[in-house]
Amino acid sequence: EIRGSRGGRHTEVLSYPPGDADAVTITLGDVERLNEGEFLNDSLVDFMCRFITTKMAPDTAKRMHIFSSFLHAKLAQQSLGAKERVEGAIRFSKGVDILSKDYIFIPVCDRLHWMLFVVLFPSLQTPLKIKGWTGELTVPCILQFNSLKCNRPDVGKRIRNYICALWEKKHGKG
């Protein structure tokens, strides 16, 4: 759904998926960020995540959840205490049983750099070892994909705290 170009950088170019209440809106300013030397923004990343999700087989889509890039922004919000950050972030999963998913994808932008965190099998109560392309992996776990090859344990810890809070909300403490 292409729209007119009057109004400058904030002019809406498309909304995807069309007619969806949670559609991602792309503006002319967002499109300009696709030029060489520009940085991607949250709208472009969220658009691509939504696009990928709508194009995959329904059985595959049911096994995973891709969060908006705003989840980590909420988890990292310095003006709130740790408990308030997690409680605010829980609203991002309202209506979705996140813990029933096999894969949870969380795009993260930190200091103008994009990373992807993937939570594998968050509902497993007993750790399981699986063979991967680089050796054995114990799940549940959180994988970090970062082109800078630097570890961000602070981000992983925020995500872990969020998943733990979801678990406690669903199953109670213990």
Side-chain angles (χ1 to χ4, degrees):
E1 178 176 322
I2 305 293
R3 305 230 168 99
S5 62
R6 294 184 189 179
R9 295 178 48 94
H10 299 291
T11 301
E12 187 176 312
V13 175
L14 68 91
S15 186
Y16 189 84
D20 190 319
D22 293 324
V24 177
T25 299
I26 300 295
T27 66
L28 283 175
D30 297 327
V31 173
E32 290 172 5
R33 290 179 167 275
L34 295 172
N35 291 324
E36 189 172 330
E38 294 291 326
F39 294 106
L40 294 178
N41 67 5
D42 51 359
S43 295
L44 293 169
V45 170
D46 287 345
F47 166 79
M48 198 62 211
C49 290
R50 289 297 300 273
F51 181 79
I52 290 168
T53 303
T54 60
K55 298 302 179 190
M56 61 180 55
D59 288 348
T60 302
K62 283 191 317 191
R63 296 178 58 208
M64 58 181 274
H65 183 76
I66 303 176
F67 274 103
S68 158
S69 59
F70 295 108
L71 174 71
H72 179 259
K74 178 56 98 176
L75 290 171
Q77 194 173 2
Q78 295 298 318
S79 62
L80 299 174
K83 184 178 179 182
E84 291 80 20
R85 287 193 297 261
V86 169
E87 287 173 356
I90 286 176
R91 287 184 221 135
F92 279 85
S93 58
K94 191 173 187 175
V96 178
D97 184 2
I98 296 300
L99 298 176
S100 71
K101 306 296 182 184
D102 292 340
Y103 314 102
I104 303 168
F105 296 86
I106 305 168
V108 172
C109 185
D110 185 62
R111 301 179 200 137
L112 300 176
H113 175 68
W114 284 96
M115 301 169 276
L116 179 66
F117 286 77
V118 183
V119 182
L120 300 179
F121 304 100
S123 63
L124 284 181
Q125 294 184 35
T126 304
L128 175 69
K129 292 192 182 291
I130 59 174
K131 292 209 184 278
W133 64 93
T134 60
E136 202 167 64
L137 181 68
T138 302
V139 293
C141 68
I142 300 172
L143 302 178
Q144 175 183 339
F145 296 90
N146 185 340
S147 64
L148 295 180
K149 298 181 182 176
C150 61
N151 189 12
R152 291 301 312 273
D154 55 325
V155 177
K157 183 178 179 183
R158 287 184 202 118
I159 292 169
R160 183 180 190 281
N161 289 344
Y162 170 69
I163 298 297
C164 288
L166 288 174
W167 180 270
E168 287 178 4
K169 184 174 179 162
K170 184 174 182 176
H171 300 286
K173 290 191 178 198

